[in-house]
């Protein structure tokens, strides 16, 4: 008789359990969303058609909003390039992470969210503009521009190839590198976090050759405050970022040096003519021919008009040139964002990917008569933010919640299921994204700008901002308060701090500001310590853009504070 051998159930069950455990772990691992973080440099929300289409159409960037959420009250903690990026990476305010300005070094002992995601099993990559350092931590692959980088034939610092130069236009090249990594280097078994970071539309706004004919023939509506006189706002009046007065003839407006000499146009700063020559010198013969074909006409037009132009005429002309160049660079950003989105769709990567489009801060497009950023006034304080995440974020939605660049680190750690360090200072935006506002309770945000005396002469200031008001404290060279009613004065031209009608609101905002400064660990002592470390460098001429005229009152204020 054949002996019956019963199945070895414990062994079978163990094998099944082990298989299920492995499969569940792999399933859980694969269910964690990919993260695509797209950031441009100085991209004003006014120049995204999802916000307003009077200047430009951006159909590809708009796709993210159409598929997800558009934020109308997203802002930054410090409106200047490198500090904003440091805040994004660390989830900490500038005075805590130490990168308060574009002068001070980044403290590499800071823990960044890419490091934490990498430790949690994410494949990580960065392509484009970081702005500081040459070896970003927490990335399996990177190719980054050195410093500000160049629009044409740019150099890159790479993880595997050392320093390289790539022929072409920077926005196209960054996208080529990004798509190549997605296609050839991405490990499909792991979730990924990709930082796709554009140089454009940073000053000095050199567009791709293919857009020159179109954009140099365009004209654009002027902002209502193009001729703002900054009455009652001394810090605004001090600023050196006026379109007529601070835009360089050569560096910014692309007027040829020989035409500057012929018209006896005074260069704005020592870098005006040299800035043009450095850019022009990077072009190959074909690129120069194309550039000359379109930009020489601008110089020729100026030669004819200049002798009879009034100050107002010049402001209007410079504004149009500025808009042509600035918006021309954004055209290529939008095209290339479309290339990335198309790739994700064609390769079935959209469904489990959170896509973020933002800028390191906003930018003035003629408002208050300005270009650049730095102030806590809306055009530089607010930043574009569009987020899509299928099955989590309802398509075509809008939020006016007060979110900041401070929140990105914890948001990404949250969606990845990774631990959020207790010393990070932001909040996960997941409750806002998913409509769970019962778990979102922010009524005000904190802002602090430090880089003064420096290029553009924007005084140091900090502020509390709610949906309705801004309370701003200017300190150091200037020492006074501003109160702005955001709803009644959306153009931000009136300081109502001393208006008795706002006494109760003023007192409430002072209390809230004190609370936020305590919560975030900021103080007058910390501010003074940063001044004391900055001023010797400024006196020694080590701070870009500092002139004797702006340095003198700052030195007097510093020495008087000792």
């Amino acid at each position: 008789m054949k002996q019956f051998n019963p199945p070895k159930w414990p062994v079978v069950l163990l094998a099944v359990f082990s298989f299920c455990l492995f499969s569940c772990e792999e399933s859980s691992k694969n269910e964690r969303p990919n993260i695509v973080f797209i950031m441009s440099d100085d991209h004003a929300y006014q120049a995204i058609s999802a916000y307003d289409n009077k200047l430009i159409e951006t159909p590809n960037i708009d796709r993210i909003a159409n598929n997800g959420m558009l934020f109308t009250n997203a802002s930054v903690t410090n409106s200047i390039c490198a500090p904003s990026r440091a805040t994004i990476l660390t989830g900490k305010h500038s005075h805590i992470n130490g990168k308060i300005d574009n002068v001070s070094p980044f403290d590499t002992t800071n823990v960044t969210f890419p490091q934490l995601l990498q430790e949690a099993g994410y494949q990580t990559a960065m392509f484009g503009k970081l702005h500081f350092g040459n070896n970003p931590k927490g990335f399996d692959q990177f190719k980054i521009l050195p410093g500000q980088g160049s629009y044409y034939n740019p150099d890159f610092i790479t993880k595997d190839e050392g320093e390289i130069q790539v022929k072409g236009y920077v926005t196209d090249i960054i996208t080529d590198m990004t798509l190549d990594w997605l296609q050839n280097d991405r490990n499909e078994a792991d979730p990924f976090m990709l930082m796709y970071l554009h140089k454009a539309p940073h000053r000095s706004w050199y567009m791709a050759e293919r857009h020159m004919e179109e954009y140099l023939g365009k004209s654009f509506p002027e902002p209502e405050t193009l001729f703002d006189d900054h009455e009652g706002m001394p810090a605004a009046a001090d600023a050196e970022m006026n379109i007529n007065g601070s835009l360089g003839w050569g560096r910014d407006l692309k007027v040829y040096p020989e035409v500057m000499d012929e018209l006896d146009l005074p260069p704005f700063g020592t870098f005006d003519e040299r800035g043009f020559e450095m850019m022009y010198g990077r072009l190959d013969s074909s690129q120069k021919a194309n550039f000359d074909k379109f930009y020489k006409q601008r110089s020729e037009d100026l030669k004819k008009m200049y002798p009879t132009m009034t100050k107002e005429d010049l402001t209007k002309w410079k504004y149009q040139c500025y808009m042509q160049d600035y918006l021309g660079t954004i055209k290529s950003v939008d095209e290339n964002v479309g290339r990335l989105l198309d790739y994700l769709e064609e390769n079935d990567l959209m469904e489990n990917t959170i896509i973020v489009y933002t800028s390191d801060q906003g930018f003035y497009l003629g408002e208050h008569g300005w270009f650049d950023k730095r102030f806590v006034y809306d055009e530089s304080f607010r930043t574009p933010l569009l987020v899509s995440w299928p099955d989590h974020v309802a398509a075509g939605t809008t939020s006016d919640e007060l979110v900041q660049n401070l929140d990105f680190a914890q948001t990404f750690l949250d969606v990845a299921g990774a631990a959020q360090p207790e010393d990070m200072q932001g909040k996960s935006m997941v409750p806002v994204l998913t409509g769970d506002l019962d778990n979102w309770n922010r009524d005000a945000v904190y802002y602090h700008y430090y880089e003064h005396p420096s290029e553009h002469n924007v005084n140091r200031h900090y502020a509390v901002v709610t949906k309705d008001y801004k309370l701003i404290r200017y300190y150091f060279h200037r020492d006074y308060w501003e109160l702005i009613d955001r709803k009644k004065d959306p153009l931000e031209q009136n300081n109502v701090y001393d208006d008795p009608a706002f006494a109760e609101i003023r007192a409430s905002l002072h209390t809230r500001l004190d609370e936020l400064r305590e919560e975030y660990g900021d103080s007058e002592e910390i501010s003074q310590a940063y001044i004391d470390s900055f001023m010797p460098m400024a006196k020694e001429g080590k701070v870009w853009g500092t002139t004797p005229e702006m340095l003198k009152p700052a030195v007097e204020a510093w020495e008087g504070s000792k």
Side-chain angles (χ1 to χ4, degrees):
M1 182 176 176
K2 187 175 180 182
Q3 184 176 1
F4 174 70
N5 293 314
K8 298 178 180 179
W9 292 112
V11 174
V12 173
L13 289 173
L14 179 62
V16 171
F17 176 77
S18 298
F19 174 79
C20 289
L21 180 62
F22 176 78
S23 298
C24 291
E25 285 179 348
E26 286 300 298
S27 175
S28 175
K29 186 176 181 182
N30 291 333
E31 285 173 2
R32 290 187 294 170
N34 304 309
I35 300 166
V36 175
F37 182 74
I38 310 170
M39 184 167 72
S40 297
D41 194 319
D42 294 342
H43 192 170
Y45 60 86
Q46 311 94 286
I48 294 177
S49 51
Y51 287 94
D52 190 335
N53 67 352
K54 68 182 179 184
L55 292 176
I56 190 172
E57 294 289 343
T58 52
N60 292 298
I61 296 172
D62 292 358
R63 285 162 65 182
I64 301 171
N66 294 338
N67 292 328
M69 183 172 286
L70 178 79
F71 287 83
T72 59
N73 258 327
S75 65
V76 297
T77 63
N78 182 1
S79 184
I80 188 169
C81 297
S84 176
R85 293 157 191 267
T87 291
I88 290 169
L89 288 170
T90 64
K92 299 176 184 177
H93 277 277
S94 300
H95 64 280
I96 299 296
N97 68 49
K99 187 62 178 168
I100 61 165
D101 51 42
N102 281 339
V103 182
S104 58
F106 178 67
D107 180 358
T108 56
T109 65
N110 279 301
V111 175
T112 65
F113 82 82
Q115 289 175 272
L116 299 174
L117 288 177
Q118 189 182 50
E119 292 172 3
Y122 271 71
Q123 190 179 12
T124 56
M126 175 188 285
F127 300 99
K129 180 179 177 181
L130 173 61
H131 194 148
F132 55 82
N134 58 11
N135 188 25
K137 295 191 300 181
F139 290 94
D140 299 308
Q141 183 58 273
F142 65 80
K143 295 180 180 180
I144 59 173
L145 298 165
Q148 295 287 2
S150 301
Y151 274 103
Y152 278 91
N153 308 322
D155 301 314
F156 285 86
I157 301 167
T158 73
K159 185 163 187 171
D160 300 327
E161 305 167 67
E163 294 188 15
I164 61 173
Q165 184 179 35
V166 184
K167 182 178 178 180
Y169 185 67
V170 67
T171 309
D172 302 333
I173 294 167
I174 291 169
T175 309
D176 292 342
M177 291 174 169
T178 300
L179 296 179
D180 179 72
W181 180 82
L182 284 167
Q183 181 67 33
N184 299 311
D185 292 340
R186 181 175 64 86
N187 181 356
E188 295 185 10
D190 296 326
F192 66 85
M193 191 283 295
L194 169 65
M195 299 190 80
Y196 169 55
L197 311 175
H198 285 295
K199 169 183 173 60
H202 191 277
R203 188 181 187 188
S204 294
W205 318 296
Y206 287 91
M207 73 183 83
E209 295 173 80
R210 62 184 178 274
H211 298 138
M212 290 177 181
E213 181 173 13
E214 176 186 359
Y215 274 82
L216 291 180
K218 284 180 174 285
S219 59
F220 301 93
E222 296 170 0
E224 190 174 341
T225 57
L226 181 61
F227 295 96
D228 193 345
D229 61 7
H230 309 122
E231 183 180 354
M233 295 181 164
D238 288 341
E240 296 181 4
M241 44 201 245
N242 293 309
I243 285 175
N244 188 16
S246 300
L247 279 177
W249 291 105
R251 174 191 181 187
D252 299 318
L253 300 169
K254 289 85 175 170
V255 176
Y256 285 66
E258 59 268 26
V259 175
M260 291 178 62
D261 293 340
E262 182 179 343
L263 296 177
D264 196 26
L265 302 175
F268 183 78
T270 58
F271 194 67
D272 197 351
E273 291 189 29
R274 188 159 64 92
F276 177 94
E277 291 164 352
M278 286 176 61
M279 186 289 307
Y280 193 74
R282 294 193 71 90
L283 304 180
D284 64 24
S285 58
S286 174
Q287 291 165 342
K288 283 180 179 175
N290 211 28
F291 186 87
D292 289 343
K293 176 181 177 181
F294 296 104
Y295 276 95
K296 280 195 171 180
Q297 186 60 51
R298 178 182 286 180
S299 289
E300 290 302 312
D301 291 343
L302 180 63
K303 283 169 61 175
K304 296 174 184 176
M305 298 184 298
Y306 186 73
T308 60
M309 293 176 85
T310 65
K311 183 177 180 180
E312 182 176 324
D313 292 336
L314 270 174
T315 300
K316 289 173 174 284
W317 181 82
K318 289 180 180 180
Y319 169 77
Q320 293 299 331
C321 294
Y322 167 40
M323 285 296 91
Q324 290 167 359
D325 295 344
Y326 178 92
L327 296 169
T329 69
I330 289 173
K331 176 74 171 181
S332 62
V333 171
D334 186 68
E335 289 175 344
N336 279 281
V337 167
R339 292 176 62 199
L340 175 59
L341 296 179
D342 288 346
Y343 179 90
L344 296 174
E345 288 179 350
E346 291 163 6
N347 289 272
D348 298 322
L349 288 170
M350 292 291 277
E351 290 305 309
N352 193 35
T353 299
I354 181 170
I355 302 174
V356 173
Y357 186 91
T358 191
S359 173
D360 50 356
Q361 60 265 322
F363 213 67
Y364 295 103
L365 304 185
E367 298 89 0
H368 303 288
W370 290 335
F371 66 100
D372 208 70
K373 55 249 183 184
R374 302 169 194 261
F375 278 105
V376 72
Y377 306 131
D378 267 6
E379 289 82 7
S380 61
F381 166 70
R382 284 175 50 198
T383 194
L385 179 58
L386 306 81
V387 182
S388 68
W389 188 14
D391 297 327
H392 296 274
V393 179
T397 52
T398 300
S399 174
D400 69 346
E401 294 301 321
L402 296 165
V403 298
Q404 287 195 294
N405 59 347
L406 184 70
D407 302 323
F408 285 128
Q410 283 161 270
T411 302
F412 296 146
L413 293 172
D414 190 6
V415 301
Q420 302 171 38
E422 291 184 2
D423 62 350
M424 284 187 172
Q425 296 181 304
K427 293 177 181 286
S428 169
M429 292 185 281
V430 169
V432 181
L433 291 167
T434 58
D436 183 19
L437 294 181
D438 288 341
N439 288 305
W440 178 263
N441 61 352
R442 181 181 283 160
D443 67 339
V445 292
Y446 183 62
Y447 180 88
H448 198 154
Y449 173 80
Y450 299 85
E451 192 173 300
H452 176 76
S454 179
E455 185 179 26
H456 300 305
N457 202 33
V458 175
N459 203 79
R460 294 173 185 241
H461 58 289
Y462 56 84
V464 58
V465 181
T466 71
K467 290 182 180 180
D468 295 329
Y469 300 100
K470 290 180 184 177
L471 179 67
I472 309 164
R473 164 81 193 289
Y474 289 94
Y475 69 97
F476 185 37
H477 168 207
R478 292 286 185 183
D479 187 0
Y480 76 102
W481 293 86
E482 288 180 359
L483 174 58
I484 294 173
D485 186 329
R486 300 184 73 189
K487 295 296 175 68
K488 294 181 179 177
D489 180 25
L491 299 180
E492 299 182 305
Q493 293 182 291
N494 301 291
N495 177 13
V496 295
Y497 186 80
D498 293 322
D499 187 334
F502 289 85
E504 186 175 335
I505 291 168
R506 183 176 65 231
S508 175
L509 289 169
H510 271 289
T511 299
R512 194 70 186 96
L513 177 59
D514 291 343
E515 291 170 347
L516 288 177
R517 282 169 64 77
E518 182 176 356
E519 176 184 347
Y520 293 128
D522 203 1
S523 67
E524 300 298 332
E525 292 75 19
I526 292 174
S527 296
Q528 188 60 51
Y530 279 127
I531 291 170
D532 291 341
S533 66
F534 184 89
M535 286 305 298
M537 294 186 290
K539 288 182 68 176
E540 293 169 15
K542 296 179 180 179
V543 177
W544 173 261
T546 302
T547 65
E549 294 77 16
M550 71 174 69
L551 187 60
K552 182 180 177 182
V555 169
E556 290 174 352
W558 178 49
E559 293 177 343
S561 67
K562 293 183 177 181

